[in-house]
Amino acid sequence: VALAALKDPAKGPMPKLPPAWVKGSARGRRKGPDDQWQLPGIFFSGKRASKLLTKMPLETWMASDTIRPLLEPLLLDLVSWTSESLMPSWQTKKHSDKKRTDLFEWNRTLGDLLARVVSFISLDVARNKLIRPFLADDEEALSVLARFADMLVRRHICDAATIPATALPLLDDCVSRVLNDRTFKPNSWRSGQVNGYALPELIAALMFVNVEKTAPGAARYANGDWSQVETIMPIIDRMVRHVGWSSFVMGKFLDLCERAGRAYPISMFGQQANAALSAIGNAEEGWTGTMLSARMAGVVQRQAHWNFPLRLEDAQELLKALDALI
């Protein structure tokens, strides 16, 4: 019905999605308030929607002054339904066993869908209506955000001829989510150890190393051309200075430095490396058992070679990093 309305705007407004949950009679021996909530009899099938929406010409529709006003309410409805499904507003128990376990495919589809449309929407709407619900401290919400960031980098940073104005501010919001993650609480249990699937995917995207193989057809970065690295430097700088002490984040940072080569500015590298090294005590076991120290020493050596003769301040930063590594 929704797709028919998009194809023929004369048919009227888009239908609303059914609710994510409905309140019913509690069954069984449990009598807690959360037990009264169940899935509705008529429900939205994320799995089926995933197969349909990935084939839809969303960019063409969003560029149409006729269809976009119909599609935008559907997008907001999909975001609202998904966030309520993953993080029910009625949930009273922090670790409730009422979790949707059937939305993995849909979560990834929605993340990609949002990445496809944000360049057609104002930053305020994209940030506050589409992305903010998934910035919550919730593992399921993080899966949507990680996919969004990954596809945003691929579509609008690496592939786009011109980077949309909304792209970097939205990625900066994703950085804030990473920095606030309990994983990076200093001196906590397993501090800095990045686990799971969503958080590693998100960090790789925010370090712009989420494309594994060289893509010659890309506009920048993924094609091996890092001459525009200054454009994304605010995102990289914030990540490395605040959580570069984590072995996982540092590994991605060194991947970036090795890929960018001489295009990576020595002045930024030295300061970022030392900021991370000075905070390595935040990690429970530091970089024990990794090759990070050797890899960083290699990057230091190459930076010194590429930028010889060195400015005094750059030489001091590199020497400071080497001293810390020793």
Side-chain angles (χ1 to χ4, degrees):
V1 175
L3 296 178
L6 287 173
K7 293 177 181 178
D8 185 2
K11 290 186 177 180
M14 299 283 289
K16 295 286 291 181
L17 296 183
W21 303 91
V22 293
K23 198 167 187 178
S25 300
R27 297 179 180 180
R29 291 177 293 178
R30 296 182 302 170
K31 301 296 182 182
D34 289 4
D35 302 320
Q36 299 176 16
W37 291 90
Q38 3 179 311
L39 298 180
I42 299 175
F43 59 92
F44 171 71
S45 174
K47 187 173 183 179
R48 181 173 295 180
S50 295
K51 292 179 170 58
L52 292 173
L53 285 170
T54 53
K55 300 176 182 179
M56 296 298 114
L58 299 179
E59 292 83 356
T60 301
W61 289 347
M62 290 298 292
S64 166
D65 291 338
T66 302
I67 299 180
R68 186 175 62 254
L70 297 175
L71 184 56
E72 287 180 346
L74 174 62
L75 293 172
L76 295 175
D77 208 11
L78 291 171
V79 167
S80 177
W81 181 89
T82 305
S83 60
E84 181 66 16
S85 295
L86 299 175
M87 302 168 288
S89 56
W90 46 261
Q91 198 169 78
T92 58
K93 293 182 281 188
K94 187 174 182 181
H95 301 290
S96 173
D97 59 358
K98 273 197 179 299
K99 295 282 187 180
R100 293 293 299 266
T101 59
D102 59 332
L103 296 179
F104 177 79
E105 183 179 358
W106 168 249
N107 290 344
R108 296 186 64 76
T109 296
L110 180 62
D112 186 20
L113 185 154
L114 295 178
R116 291 172 65 183
V117 303
V118 288
S119 62
F120 299 95
I121 297 174
S122 71
L123 177 59
D124 180 64
V125 172
R127 168 178 277 160
N128 295 311
K129 298 293 182 65
L130 300 183
I131 306 306
R132 178 166 290 177
F134 305 110
L135 294 171
D137 182 14
D138 181 271
E139 189 65 25
E140 285 77 16
L142 189 63
S143 67
V144 179
L145 189 70
R147 179 65 168 176
F148 165 75
D150 177 67
M151 297 309 296
L152 182 66
V153 169
R154 292 172 187 264
R155 292 180 180 278
H156 298 305
I157 303 295
C158 295
D159 284 349
T162 302
I163 298 175
T166 54
L168 292 176
L170 291 175
L171 288 176
D172 194 55
D173 291 345
C174 295
V175 173
S176 297
R177 170 62 179 85
V178 171
L179 302 189
N180 291 325
D181 195 276
R182 68 193 75 177
T183 298
F184 301 108
K185 184 178 180 180
N187 302 312
S188 62
W189 186 60
R190 294 186 177 180
S191 181
Q193 293 187 27
V194 178
N195 299 305
Y197 182 85
L199 188 57
E201 181 181 32
L202 179 55
I203 292 170
L206 295 175
M207 298 306 295
F208 302 92
V209 292
N210 50 325
V211 180
E212 294 295 332
K213 296 181 180 179
T214 302
R220 62 187 67 79
Y221 312 142
N223 63 354
D225 179 6
W226 290 84
S227 58
Q228 300 178 46
V229 69
E230 290 286 358
T231 302
I232 56 175
M233 190 58 70
I235 303 294
I236 299 165
D237 190 60
R238 193 171 171 218
M239 284 284 293
V240 179
R241 287 180 184 271
H242 287 87
V243 293
W245 50 267
S246 161
S247 60
F248 183 86
V249 177
M250 179 50 61
K252 296 302 179 184
F253 173 58
L254 294 176
D255 287 344
L256 168 63
C257 292
E258 290 162 359
R259 293 185 190 186
R262 64 175 68 235
Y264 204 91
I266 185 174
S267 57
M268 296 302 297
F269 169 76
Q271 295 175 22
Q272 291 163 351
N274 282 308
L277 287 166
S278 67
I280 200 171
N282 290 337
E284 186 178 27
E285 297 180 358
W287 296 351
T288 303
T290 73
M291 294 295 293
L292 294 176
S293 295
R295 289 181 64 192
M296 180 176 283
V299 176
V300 169
Q301 190 277 329
R302 290 190 290 274
Q303 283 281 1
H305 173 72
W306 288 327
N307 294 280
F308 185 83
L310 299 177
R311 297 187 308 162
L312 177 60
E313 52 268 37
D314 293 335
Q316 290 175 332
E317 290 289 346
L318 296 185
L319 287 172
K320 183 179 177 182
L322 288 176
D323 286 342
L325 292 172
I326 294 171

